[in-house]
Amino acid sequence: KNEVEQSPQNLTAQEGEFITINCSYSVGISALHWLQQHPGGGIVSLFMLSSGKKKHGRLIATINIQEKHSSLHITASHPRDSAVYICAVRSGTDKLIFGTGTRLQVFP
Amino acid sequence: EAGVVQSPRYKIIEKKQPVAFWCNPISGHNTLYWYLQNLGQGPELLIRYENEEAVDDSQLPKDRFSAERLKGVDSTLKIQPAELGDSAVYLCASSRQQNTEAFFGQGTRLTVV
């Protein structure tokens, strides 16, 4: 079993839909990252959080430390949001442990 | 502020040939990471530097892979000789220090034929 599990693995949405991507982890962490990876490989850091909730534009990230669970929400989704979204946790030894990603496709 | 810069973006080589990747981290970032990402998978750590010291290279296949970070700034990752299974994206990331946000480069996509 992977230490970081994401669901769903693949997600298809119509433009304008509200999207949720989930991340569960099984190790102790000091922080959790949500990353966006576009075709071509570049990775962009969206959020780093260790508690509560963060919002940036149409993106919202929440984390529940007790339940070892985080969610990434996209409101009013747009085709340009199509990418792979990766959850990564920073362990106590400062290792970043990555999930396998959620591939999102948003159609007009 | 410039981000993490990697070169080349793409590299195609024949098996058994050597290859090198270069990474220039964000200025002032002490921690530098090299990751390997296979298709459809999350990145896997190869090596982590704190300044010029490799503090975690447990996942680096040392028979063919080597890395260096002279002067604690730029870093190179080398594979010699490359094998077909080394085809992947090699990502470099940096952070100001431990436990701070990491920023990623665009990656180098390696194809070994």
Side-chain angles (χ1 to χ4, degrees):
Chain A
K1 190 180 189 298
N2 293 333
E3 293 169 303
V4 180
E5 297 272 0
Q6 286 185 237
S7 64
Q9 283 190 313
N10 294 284
L11 185 55
T12 301
Q14 287 294 126
E15 184 173 358
E17 286 185 9
F18 180 84
I19 288 162
T20 296
I21 300 171
N22 296 299
C23 174
S24 296
Y25 53 92
S26 57
V27 295
I29 69 168
S30 58
L32 182 143
H33 300 254
W34 280 103
L35 309 165
Q36 181 191 56
Q37 186 171 32
H38 281 280
I43 291 180
V44 174
S45 178
L46 298 174
F47 296 102
M48 184 179 80
L49 64 166
S50 53
S51 66
K53 176 180 172 179
K54 285 190 176 180
K55 184 176 189 294
H56 182 69
R58 295 181 294 106
L59 302 178
I60 303 167
T62 64
I63 187 169
N64 185 317
I65 297 295
Q66 286 73 31
E67 295 185 3
K68 295 189 173 181
H69 181 269
S70 175
S71 293
L72 176 69
H73 305 286
I74 305 175
T75 61
S77 60
H78 190 276
R80 64 175 175 264
D81 296 327
S82 299
V84 175
Y85 292 84
I86 302 173
C87 171
V89 300
R90 189 176 292 279
S91 71
T93 56
D94 198 41
K95 279 190 174 178
L96 269 179
I97 306 170
F98 292 81
T100 54
T102 294
R103 185 174 300 277
L104 171 65
Q105 287 184 293
V106 182
F107 292 99
Chain B
E1 179 184 86
V4 177
V5 179
Q6 288 188 247
S7 69
R9 284 296 316 277
Y10 305 94
K11 188 75 176 178
I12 301 174
I13 61 170
E14 292 184 332
K15 62 181 179 182
K16 301 184 183 180
Q17 294 301 306
V19 64
F21 315 125
W22 175 80
C23 174
N24 179 229
I26 292 173
S27 178
H29 281 198
N30 297 323
T31 307
L32 183 145
Y33 311 80
W34 281 104
Y35 291 93
L36 177 154
Q37 186 177 24
N38 288 304
L39 189 65
Q41 300 294 316
E44 300 170 27
L45 180 68
L46 289 173
I47 189 168
R48 173 167 65 96
Y49 282 93
E50 294 295 337
N51 298 303
E52 66 274 10
E53 182 184 358
V55 296
D56 185 353
D57 62 356
S58 56
Q59 301 301 313
L60 189 73
K62 298 182 183 63
D63 56 337
R64 298 183 299 106
F65 286 65
S66 64
E68 59 182 12
R69 192 185 184 196
L70 300 176
K71 301 181 182 178
V73 181
D74 293 0
S75 178
T76 55
L77 177 69
K78 298 178 182 177
I79 308 174
Q80 181 171 14
E83 297 178 354
L84 294 176
D86 296 331
S87 296
V89 174
Y90 292 82
L91 291 160
C92 179
S94 72
S95 61
R96 192 166 295 278
Q97 57 190 35
Q98 287 191 45
N99 279 322
T100 60
E101 188 170 8
F103 295 85
F104 287 79
Q106 290 290 305
T108 296
R109 183 177 296 276
L110 173 68
T111 302
V112 182
V113 297

